[in-house]
Amino acid sequence: MTAPERPLDRTRLTAALEHANLPSLVAVLHQLTGDRRWLADPYRPTRSRGMDDNDLGGFSPEVRAALRAAAADAVTAWADGRPPAVPAPTGEVLAEIMSVAVGEPVPPEYAAMTAEDMGFAPAPVRTAPPNDLRVIVIGAGVSGILAAIKLAEAGIAHVVLEKNADVGGTWLENSYPGAGVDTPSHLYSYSFAPRAWSTHFGKRDEVWAYLRDVADRHGLRERIRFGTEVVSAVYASDDRRWTVRTATGEILTADAVISATGQLNRPKVPPIPGLGRFRGPIFHTAHWPADLDVTGKRIAIVGTGASAMQIVPAIAPDVARLTVFQRSPQWVAPNDVYFSPIEQGAQYLLDHVPYYRLWYRTRLAWNTNDRVHPALQKDDAWEHPERSVNAMNDAHRRVFTRYLEAELDGRPDLVTKALPDYPPFGKRMLLDNGWFAALRRENVDLVTEAVAEITETGVRGVDGAECEADVVVLATGFETHKILFPIDVRGRSGRRIDEVWGPEDARAHLGITTPDFPNLFLTCGPGTVLGHGGSYITTAECQVRYIVDLLVTMLERDIAAVECRPEVEAEYVRRHDEAHERMIWTHPGMDNWYRNDAGRVVSALPWRIVDYWAMTREPDLADFRTEPARR
């Protein structure tokens, strides 16, 4: 962390410190000065409530002033050339600072992962020996961009095949009103590519711009073939190569294929009777027409998941009537800064104060990642399994229920409709972006019926409710269980991968690699979606690191092909399924998109992020059958 080239503006720094996240500032102070008093009372912040940033740290006005004044002195001294006293803490030292910064004990196993993310102990960049290996990456979304960057760093030739006209994946395709992340912006970022985000939770246009910027800074466009949709990928054992065919009939070959198609890339449209009869516009949220003006229109929305929750508050003020068909309600968590801009003072600290951005991101990661994981474990002795899975989960239920009742105060009809009867986190937890306020509007109706039929003029519910509409929006989710769908992927045996897995029962070792499919690697594969919270980008970085490290190892050892051993995958799947049997997503009180119709959880990760980070830290060749390269 080098001092700035230009003199520090002390006046501007002092003003900016009024906008500081003080728990982050405590950690910065200790790193800059080495003074342990900043790790002790009265400078130890309180624990954050939920996902709250806890900017004031629970400190008295006197302590706040002392922290800001000391930080101004320490940052000025650093800018004048004094080196940080603790420049790169790791191990127990880092765990201690983290515990102070987040206001609660941090298990020691988090230190290594955090040190890598913060750059205090970065993972070594492995480069391959001279080689003629060729890799095809399918998709240029979050994972595909990352794979291309890391393959280039390792010196491995590759091409990215992208069906769309630009990078971005789901962030290119989903442009519906209100679209945005429900993970804090600074966490929904690659660890090596920070951004000066304008809001705490980035909206779609800014997230898409971020991905385009990252792709451009790394010169990826010259290695991406846009408008190129893959329809099949077939492995040939005789020459140990993949043959990939595109929608235009073009044929490409590669030694390895990395799938970066994601799980939110193919809209799911249920077979509702009458879909083709409606006289007006009817479409899935992922296909929102760019020229659609909803002003003064009657809108019917089918579904109340994440997309619907973002759309409804965004369009409710403009439409004549908005009718939402809800099959089952969702738990909704409060967040005070969902729409808040990041103030200029706070941005100044992120840009100019050493370590501040790193600690701010680390605290976000702690508050939104694994912290909730214990609350999702079933307690067999718990007395109320119908409403929660353990005492901590029940406490969450009380908090979310009180919030819902306060937001819908005076509307007992809406409370009855909107309050779930299953445990919180049993479905994807949603953030309140004005949802409850929108439900209270006179022009919004919440219908608690599944849809029976689409008519020529609207929507009819299973219990007889009818809604006249000018526009019907299908907020019905994605084909999340059909990994790689609709690509025809065939392995060594010639069988399609969906035949091996079954139509909605995908499985893979680490969610990355599966027997009978040598040199095929998945990102966002089965069982790797973060149901308990956090940023998928963290998972993607784990997976891409594992894949690229394995490819480099293959080249170093003259290995032409690696194929996951069946017993290795079977053991991983056994542990995966056993872990889920102890978790909330197998609770019988609700359906969710994490599990298939047979009840098996296909999508969500059962372990903590730190556990998955450790599992993918280094590939083990003993997990694979290997074939030597031909000389």
Side-chain angles (χ1 to χ4, degrees):
M1 190 68 65
T2 57
E5 296 180 0
R6 292 181 294 178
L8 185 73
D9 186 336
R10 172 78 182 225
T11 300
R12 188 172 181 185
L13 171 64
T14 300
L17 286 168
E18 293 297 320
H19 302 279
N21 175 269
L22 295 180
S24 299
L25 204 61
V26 166
V28 170
L29 267 170
H30 176 69
Q31 278 199 257
L32 291 180
T33 67
D35 193 334
R36 290 193 57 81
R37 71 185 172 117
W38 302 120
L39 303 182
D41 289 334
Y43 303 112
R44 296 177 68 93
T46 57
R47 179 179 185 270
S48 296
R49 296 178 303 167
M51 292 187 294
D52 179 64
D53 281 355
N54 194 26
D55 283 338
L56 298 182
F59 296 126
S60 68
E62 294 76 18
V63 171
R64 295 177 213 163
L67 284 171
R68 291 173 178 136
D73 291 340
V75 174
T76 300
W78 165 79
D80 289 341
R82 187 178 74 186
V86 190
T90 58
E92 293 180 359
V93 175
L94 180 58
E96 180 187 15
I97 304 172
M98 286 179 64
S99 296
V100 172
V102 302
E104 59 186 318
V106 173
E109 61 263 33
Y110 283 87
M113 182 178 73
T114 304
E116 182 176 289
D117 187 79
M118 297 181 81
F120 297 152
V125 177
R126 297 182 63 199
T127 56
N131 67 89
D132 58 1
L133 187 77
R134 295 295 181 268
V135 177
I136 287 176
V137 180
I138 306 175
V142 167
S143 296
I145 289 170
L146 179 62
I149 291 170
K150 296 305 178 181
L151 287 168
E153 289 179 355
I156 297 175
H158 59 281
V159 63
V160 182
L161 306 182
E162 169 54 52
K163 70 180 189 298
N164 293 317
D166 204 345
V167 301
T170 191
W171 295 108
L172 165 65
E173 295 172 355
N174 288 268
S175 58
Y176 57 79
V181 295
D182 55 8
T183 300
S185 304
H186 287 95
L187 197 56
Y188 199 85
S189 309
Y190 300 113
S191 61
F192 55 87
R195 178 184 177 86
W197 292 96
S198 66
T199 60
H200 292 274
F201 289 83
K203 307 308 289 182
R204 177 263 182 184
D205 288 355
E206 188 171 9
V207 176
W208 183 34
Y210 169 72
L211 296 173
R212 296 202 312 273
D213 290 346
V214 171
D216 290 341
R217 286 202 301 272
H218 289 269
L220 300 191
R221 292 183 185 275
E222 63 188 28
R223 305 196 297 278
I224 302 174
R225 295 187 52 182
F226 295 107
T228 305
E229 182 171 5
V230 172
V231 296
S232 69
V234 179
Y235 184 75
S237 298
D238 54 352
D239 62 0
R240 302 163 184 168
R241 290 177 71 80
W242 283 91
T243 298
V244 174
R245 185 184 297 271
T246 71
T248 61
E250 183 180 6
I251 294 176
L252 301 90
T253 60
D255 301 286
V257 172
I258 299 174
S259 167
T261 57
Q263 292 191 32
L264 304 178
N265 71 317
R266 299 290 178 174
K268 183 175 184 178
V269 178
I272 304 172
L275 277 175
R277 291 162 45 198
F278 184 65
R279 294 174 180 171
I282 180 170
F283 50 84
H284 189 276
T285 55
H287 298 150
W288 192 282
D291 59 351
L292 179 66
D293 183 3
V294 298
T295 304
K297 300 281 179 51
R298 299 169 300 172
I299 312 295
I301 295 184
V302 179
T304 52
S307 298
M309 179 158 286
Q310 293 181 337
I311 292 169
V312 168
I315 68 172
D318 301 321
V319 303
R321 197 90 205 156
L322 180 56
T323 305
V324 183
F325 282 82
Q326 170 187 277
R327 187 169 58 178
S328 64
Q330 300 272 13
W331 284 106
V332 180
N335 190 283
D336 293 338
V337 296
Y338 187 85
F339 287 114
S340 300
I342 295 175
E343 297 173 331
Q344 289 186 358
Q347 190 62 59
Y348 181 87
L349 300 178
L350 292 165
D351 293 340
H352 297 282
V353 171
Y355 308 115
Y356 182 82
R357 180 187 293 274
L358 300 178
W359 280 109
Y360 186 74
R361 173 181 160 97
T362 293
R363 292 191 72 261
L364 287 174
W366 177 256
N367 284 340
T368 61
N369 285 356
D370 291 345
R371 189 183 183 198
V372 76
H373 195 264
L376 310 184
Q377 309 301 312
K378 296 175 183 174
D379 178 359
D380 292 337
W382 178 239
E383 298 176 350
H384 305 289
E386 75 286 352
R387 74 184 190 203
S388 50
V389 294
N390 57 40
M392 189 183 304
N393 186 242
D394 202 58
H396 285 146
R397 183 186 185 94
R398 293 193 297 272
V399 170
F400 298 146
T401 299
R402 286 196 298 267
Y403 177 71
L404 180 149
E405 291 173 340
E407 291 295 304
L408 298 177
D409 184 41
R411 291 293 306 274
D413 58 320
L414 286 178
V415 171
T416 299
K417 291 179 177 181
L419 183 62
D421 59 2
Y422 56 86
F425 297 96
K427 295 188 179 187
R428 175 189 175 100
M429 180 60 69
L430 304 177
L431 296 182
D432 186 11
N433 61 339
W435 171 255
F436 291 131
L439 293 185
R440 297 180 67 106
R441 295 180 60 92
E442 292 184 359
N443 67 330
V444 176
D445 293 317
L446 182 63
V447 178
T448 55
E449 299 177 26
V451 172
E453 177 185 19
I454 306 294
T455 68
E456 292 183 352
T457 58
V459 180
R460 184 172 62 81
V462 294
D463 294 331
E466 293 198 21
C467 162
E468 296 289 315
D470 302 306
V471 178
V472 175
V473 180
L474 303 174
T476 49
F478 296 85
E479 296 285 4
T480 54
H481 300 153
K482 297 180 179 179
I483 310 295
L484 293 173
F485 174 82
I487 304 173
D488 182 359
V489 179
R490 297 175 185 262
R492 183 188 299 277
S493 68
R495 296 178 66 198
R496 294 199 317 267
I497 200 165
D498 59 339
E499 293 176 335
V500 174
W501 283 338
E504 293 193 342
D505 198 25
R507 56 195 68 212
H509 177 52
L510 300 172
I512 296 173
T513 178
T514 190
D516 197 41
F517 295 86
N519 294 4
L520 172 67
F521 307 106
L522 311 177
T523 62
C524 199
T528 61
V529 168
L530 294 176
H532 70 281
S535 169
Y536 167 68
I537 291 180
T538 303
T539 307
E541 292 195 7
C542 291
Q543 293 168 342
V544 169
R545 178 189 61 214
Y546 178 95
I547 294 166
V548 174
D549 277 2
L550 183 54
L551 291 172
V552 172
T553 300
M554 290 169 60
L555 290 166
E556 290 174 341
R557 303 191 185 187
D558 282 334
I559 296 171
V562 294
E563 179 181 352
C564 182
R565 295 181 179 275
E567 66 272 19
V568 170
E569 184 195 63
E571 173 60 16
Y572 178 84
V573 171
R574 182 192 66 78
R575 293 190 296 113
H576 171 277
D577 290 352
E578 284 188 357
H580 270 305
E581 283 302 316
R582 300 190 295 271
M583 291 198 73
I584 193 168
W585 299 304
T586 51
H587 188 283
M590 73 284 163
D591 294 323
N592 56 51
W593 66 264
Y594 301 139
R595 70 184 185 214
N596 62 19
D597 290 341
R600 179 174 177 266
V601 178
V602 177
S603 297
L605 184 74
W607 296 292
R608 301 175 302 172
I609 294 172
V610 70
D611 300 324
Y612 189 72
W613 178 87
M615 291 176 189
T616 56
R617 192 74 192 91
E618 185 176 351
D620 185 352
L621 277 182
D623 293 339
F624 299 88
R625 294 171 175 168
T626 63
E627 298 179 46
R630 295 189 177 94
R631 297 186 180 278

